Amino acid sequence: MGKEALILVDLQADFTQVKNGSLAVPGTDEVYLRLVEEELRRAAMRGLLIFATQDWHPPNHISFYTNHPDKRAFDIVQLEGREQILWPPHCIQGTEGARILVDNNLFMAIVKKGRDPKYDSYSGFRDDGGKQTELEAILRYHQIQRVVIFGLALDFCVKATALDAKDLGFAVTVVKGLSKGVSPETTLEALKTMERAGIQIREGIEF
Ligand code: VGL
Ligand code: ZN
């Protein structure tokens, strides 16, 4: 079946209800967090490699509505021809809100994204300006052929990371039961888009 790795996407305080995050995703309660950590521990015990992505924005990041005069949270603007949703400030580098909420030692690497103030980066592989992170190189180094992806948010960063992984030639599974979306409509759309792209959608991790 080829070598497999897990990628946990953006399980950070600002995206969770437990920590009263600025961009809390529905369903991110204590039960969800415990379930994810338990599954990660099981995977680690079986020797699977686990990676994490971490949204890591400077305070002047372009995706924050506060950096656009007269805009409000969730407004949509055009930036260099791309649609950009303006979010509440979140995951600011070196703050509580940016912390990953499970044991950080579970990860072989934590890949930070969204560090360039000028570009957003839903994908763990590259930002909207096309600049790559180190994630692909690390997976190739470990000869990974299949990635199992889950986390937050299913309709944004999980989706973008999964689609890029597929584009890069990895076999991709997204674990729906360990992911949460910002809204039901965009979550349904994301699941359809990913399925059409040849990504497997699973309820749980299969060992
Ligand atoms: C995300 C919105 C803004 C995510 C990151 O992790 O899905 N969503 N930045
Ligand atoms: Zn972000």
Side-chain angles (χ1 to χ4, degrees), residues 10 15 23 55 57 87 90 113 120 122 152-153 156-158:
D10 298 7
F15 295 130
L23 189 37
D55 217 30
H57 298 311
W87 303 102
H90 61 276
K113 62 186 182 64
D120 209 355
Y122 294 156
L152 305 174
F156 291 94
C157 291
V158 171

Side-chain angles (χ1 to χ4, degrees), residues 19 22 55 61 77 81 90 106 112 121 125 152 154 165 170 179 184 200:
K19 296 288 182 185
S22 60
D55 217 30
H61 196 254
V77 294
H90 61 276
L106 285 162
K112 293 175 158 64
S121 184
F125 289 96
L152 305 174
L154 181 57
F170 296 98
S179 303
Q200 273 186 46

